[in-house]
Amino acid sequence: MAAGGEAGSDSGGDGAGPGQAALQETTQDLQMSFVKMMQTHSPQSWSALPSELAGMVLCRLPSHVDRVRFAAVCHHWRFSRQEHSLPPPLPWLAFPDGTFFGLPRGDGAKESFKLPISANYCITCGDWLVFSQNDTCFLMNPFSKITLTLPNLSSFCLVDEPVGIINGRDVLDEDMSSPLLQMDTAISLRKVIRCSELLVAAIVEIGPLCTVAYCQPGSTSWLVSELGIIGSVIDMMFYEGMLYVIDEFNDLLAINVREDNDNGKLRVPRIERLLDGAPCVLKLIQGGISYFESYLVESHGALLLVQRTIFGECDNDTIGGIKPVGIEFEVCQSDFQSQSWVKVSSVGDDQTLFVSQSSSQSVDVSQYKLKGDCIYFLDDGSCDWFWKDAPSSCAVYDMRDGNCFFIPLPTVACKDVKMLAAWLFPQN
């Protein structure tokens, strides 16, 4: 349970990261494949590299930037990148000044670059960045530079949704509509998901209310749900055409959001409570404090509820009076047959979870020789006393033994402002 020190170039202990031995193994595999392909194809130049071998190389490139560089060599290599179905690349760490860092490679190198157009973003959204400035709100893909306009954060109204929740213990209270609409404030974005070309969903805070809101890119108003009145919305994800959310009780709800055939506006024809709260028990330490955070992630077709607990103890000699003493993750998997969460001890030897308040994802790391069954998490400003003396803003938790290690990252300096990292998940 106790947190460890820096992971160094291995990113998490003995053989934990894509270390030198793994790098040599990958190189040897490619060399053997290259010799076999050369014997049958005998290309005259690198541009004539057989498509099969090009695909093998691409599948072993963990970085989206490396794949872009590969495709930029020549037309043939660019076609090879489009031709092959590639595993998702590893995420990047994005900082608000436009700096991006890749996870340390097997040789210990830490790749970084800067995109000035990405500076001053609010939060990340998969492979998009969210900006809110000068009474405007929009999404931008930092790689393609495509921009999608979102409604102003001061413009919102209630969404058309059912009062009754299928399998729900409560119903939405219509009497709350008036106070919600009368709030003289702008909404603040906690999480944004681009569900499709016609739908963007967000977790928003309006005064004390933390709920879900929807919009269509280019529309003039956010459509706010009253779900937060029953229980604050903690996290959400879009999967196979449905929006899934967990509330403060760790209940899982499925929301069907559709475009009205008559007027083209968004409406919610159905809300269903699928699972009861998770069986994980809140853990406390005597004379100490515990901070809890929950994340919703899809992995291998199942929904995972990832619960993080940070333990601290009162210490008068520590600034702020709290000293971190450990951290623990528990993972529960959705079981729709029993309508409950089922605790699991592993996320899979080939899977690694990257979680944060704004964006989380499960990535198959078997192609990259990166240690699986781990959870990477970030300093997102939610637990200052754990991170204030930490050697890095990124850490990894090993599900096998419960050890936690910090991932060394270059320092991003910004006068008088704490630079918080966020995951960015580029597409293939």
Side-chain angles (χ1 to χ4, degrees):
M1 183 177 72
E6 290 192 11
S9 61
D10 283 340
S11 303
D14 296 338
Q20 189 64 32
L23 185 63
Q24 291 175 351
E25 181 182 346
T26 301
T27 303
Q28 291 170 358
D29 290 343
L30 288 173
Q31 288 174 342
M32 293 177 62
S33 300
F34 179 76
V35 170
K36 292 179 180 178
M37 298 298 295
M38 287 287 288
Q39 291 173 348
T40 56
H41 293 272
S42 300
Q44 300 301 311
S45 68
W46 282 110
S47 63
L49 187 72
S51 178
E52 297 91 338
L53 185 56
M56 294 179 63
V57 174
L58 281 165
C59 286
R60 285 168 169 79
L61 295 178
S63 169
H64 173 74
V65 174
D66 288 338
R67 295 178 181 183
V68 172
R69 290 168 177 161
F70 182 95
V73 171
C74 63
H75 174 76
H76 177 70
W77 286 22
R78 182 164 59 253
F79 177 78
S80 294
R81 180 178 178 233
Q82 298 170 349
E83 184 182 31
H84 292 89
S85 177
L86 304 177
L90 295 178
W92 283 84
L93 283 162
F95 286 84
D97 69 340
T99 302
F100 295 84
F101 290 120
L103 293 175
R105 299 198 302 250
D107 55 3
K110 306 174 185 68
E111 187 174 19
S112 67
F113 62 93
K114 194 166 186 175
L115 295 177
I117 60 172
S118 301
N120 301 316
Y121 75 87
C122 297
I123 54 178
T124 59
C125 168
D127 59 337
W128 297 77
L129 300 175
V130 183
F131 293 81
S132 178
Q133 53 196 19
N134 301 325
D135 296 326
T136 62
C137 187
F138 61 93
L139 294 175
M140 185 190 71
N141 186 306
F143 301 106
S144 67
K145 300 182 182 179
I146 295 175
T147 299
L148 299 176
T149 302
L150 304 180
N152 188 295
L153 297 183
S154 61
S155 176
F156 60 90
C157 60
L158 291 177
V159 69
D160 179 12
E161 62 185 343
V163 173
I165 299 176
I166 300 174
N167 296 327
R169 294 181 291 266
D170 304 288
V171 297
L172 300 180
D173 189 353
E174 291 180 319
D175 294 335
M176 293 296 294
S177 302
S178 180
L180 177 62
L181 291 175
Q182 292 175 1
M183 288 184 180
D184 186 19
T185 183
I187 64 179
S188 59
L189 300 174
R190 177 172 173 173
K191 181 170 185 171
V192 177
I193 297 178
R194 181 177 179 264
C195 305
S196 67
E197 293 182 357
L198 300 176
L199 174 62
V200 172
I203 297 179
V204 300
E205 295 178 352
I206 310 175
L209 189 68
C210 188
T211 188
V212 183
Y214 320 95
C215 77
Q216 294 169 303
S219 60
T220 58
S221 181
W222 288 93
L223 303 177
V224 179
S225 170
E226 294 183 85
L227 274 177
I229 297 170
I230 297 176
S232 294
V233 175
I234 303 301
D235 201 4
M236 67 176 180
M237 65 169 297
F238 190 77
Y239 179 61
E240 293 189 342
M242 295 291 290
L243 185 67
Y244 295 92
V245 305
I246 51 172
D247 61 18
E248 60 184 303
F249 309 108
N250 284 328
D251 289 350
L252 177 70
L253 296 94
I255 306 174
N256 185 7
V257 187
R258 290 289 180 266
E259 187 180 75
D260 194 295
N261 292 330
D262 296 330
N263 55 30
K265 293 183 179 180
L266 295 177
R267 66 184 184 91
V268 179
R270 178 186 176 94
I271 303 176
E272 182 177 2
R273 178 174 148 270
L274 300 178
L275 303 180
D276 290 323
C280 302
V281 179
L282 299 182
K283 297 182 179 181
L284 304 173
I285 60 175
Q286 187 174 2
I289 186 173
S290 300
Y291 179 83
F292 308 97
E293 193 79 56
S294 296
Y295 311 94
L296 191 60
V297 188
E298 180 273 330
S299 180
H300 288 310
L303 302 186
L304 302 180
L305 175 63
V306 182
Q307 296 182 296
R308 185 190 73 184
T309 306
I310 298 176
F311 302 95
E313 62 181 17
C314 298
D315 184 5
N316 294 330
D317 297 328
T318 301
I319 298 177
I322 304 175
K323 179 177 69 174
V325 295
I327 187 168
E328 185 172 310
F329 278 84
E330 289 191 350
V331 180
C332 295
Q333 181 174 306
S334 57
D335 185 341
F336 295 114
Q337 185 173 1
S338 64
Q339 295 185 333
S340 62
W341 295 103
V342 177
K343 186 177 177 180
V344 296
S345 59
S346 170
V347 299
D349 292 338
D350 61 342
Q351 297 292 305
T352 287
L353 307 185
F354 298 87
V355 299
S356 70
Q357 281 189 354
S358 63
S359 196
S360 301
Q361 190 169 307
S362 176
V363 177
D364 186 338
V365 297
S366 58
Q367 293 281 351
Y368 309 134
K369 308 297 183 181
L370 188 70
K371 187 176 182 181
D373 208 10
C374 292
I375 302 174
Y376 286 73
F377 61 103
L378 303 173
D379 176 9
D380 51 17
S382 60
C383 191
D384 288 341
W385 52 266
F386 176 79
W387 294 99
K388 62 182 175 59
D389 294 324
S392 172
S393 60
C394 178
V396 57
Y397 180 87
D398 193 326
M399 288 290 291
R400 294 178 179 86
D401 54 23
N403 285 327
C404 177
F405 300 91
F406 292 95
I407 306 301
L409 294 173
T411 301
V412 178
C414 188
K415 184 178 180 181
D416 300 327
V417 177
K418 185 177 183 180
M419 299 288 283
L420 299 178
W423 296 119
L424 187 74
F425 297 97
Q427 299 300 307
N428 293 332

